[in-house]
Amino acid sequence: KESLRRTIRFTKVPRQSLLTGRTRGKLNPRQIARGFIDDRIFCQRIEEKSEPGIALCLLLDESGSMFEGNPSRHKRAREVATLFVDALGSVQNIELEIYTHTSCGPQDRDCLVRYCYGRRNREVACISDAVERANYDHQAIRTAGELFRSNTSSKRPRWMIVVSDGAPNGRDYEGEPAIKATRDEVIQLRKSGIRVLNVAIEDYASEQIFGDSWVLKFTNMDEFVPQMTRLVKTLLRSTSL
């Protein structure tokens, strides 16, 4: 948490420009000789306007396989979500949205996206355990994208980080058709201006869905939290806050 906060403090240092040839301000030693011509021998420092900040979205897989392992993948993902809220949730120029997805309804045929934290919900405690269920990834990504757009500023670069540990899998929903449906939704989100990254906890069809250059494989759960912290620090440093 402190590491993330230090990164925020670093990126928020205001940029300054030096304006020379001014008629008032601080005396510019390099322009003193010009005093024989006119009075433009002063300089002024002004702060440049900062960029609009950044909007971050975490979309966490909450299917049954996420609860395997000791500690479970879900527990690590929940630690990351809590860390981000603690470190970034109150920063003025950072908009943070966190959603999870699993399935619901008769025979788990429906997609359930839960709003865990963000503009409309400040209670991260709603990230909780779930029973073993399916994951309809394309619908989850579509719904999360709609929520992300409606709850953040269009003036800020938007990054969605999809954390998942398995291929799309549900009732009559698997294989290439499910992969294609998910890939199509990712493409549509990117066309709308949202940059979509995948953090793959297990090695599966990530490249087919998100593209080689948009996939990070963090398969070591002991290193998962620091790896996610480094990823977000990199995104923060790429944007002036």
Side-chain angles (χ1 to χ4, degrees), residues 117-134:
Y117 182 85
R119 178 183 174 187
R120 299 183 186 181
N121 176 23
R122 294 294 177 182
E123 294 296 331
V124 74
C126 74
I127 301 177
S128 59
D129 291 349
V131 299
E132 183 172 350
R133 287 178 173 163

Side-chain angles (χ1 to χ4, degrees), residues 1-8 82-83 85-88 229:
K1 180 165 64 176
E2 273 308 308
S3 178
L4 275 176
R5 285 176 175 164
R6 284 196 299 272
T7 301
I8 294 168
T82 303
L83 169 70
V85 171
D86 287 347
L88 311 177
T229 301

Side-chain angles (χ1 to χ4, degrees), residues 45-86:
R45 289 192 179 276
I46 63 168
E47 290 188 1
E48 296 180 0
K49 291 184 178 179
S50 61
E51 296 298 322
I54 189 171
L56 290 174
C57 170
L58 280 180
L59 176 59
L60 307 177
D61 180 1
E62 217 173 30
S63 58
S65 57
M66 285 290 288
F67 296 88
E68 297 174 358
N70 186 23
S72 71
R73 298 162 187 159
H74 180 265
K75 181 178 179 180
R76 292 300 194 203
R78 187 171 55 195
E79 288 175 4
V80 166
T82 303
L83 169 70
F84 288 176
V85 171
D86 287 347

Side-chain angles (χ1 to χ4, degrees), residues 1 8 23 62 100 119 123 134 151 155 165-166 168 211 216 221:
K1 180 165 64 176
I8 294 168
T23 57
E62 217 173 30
T100 65
R119 178 183 174 187
E123 294 296 331
N151 289 303
K155 296 180 180 180
D165 77 330
L216 300 171
M221 285 295 95

Side-chain angles (χ1 to χ4, degrees), residues 18 20-21 25-36 40-45:
L18 181 65
T20 59
K26 184 177 180 181
L27 183 65
N28 185 354
R30 296 183 178 181
Q31 295 290 320
I32 291 178
R34 186 183 179 91
F36 292 102
R40 297 182 178 276
I41 59 174
F42 299 93
C43 59
Q44 294 177 342
R45 289 192 179 276

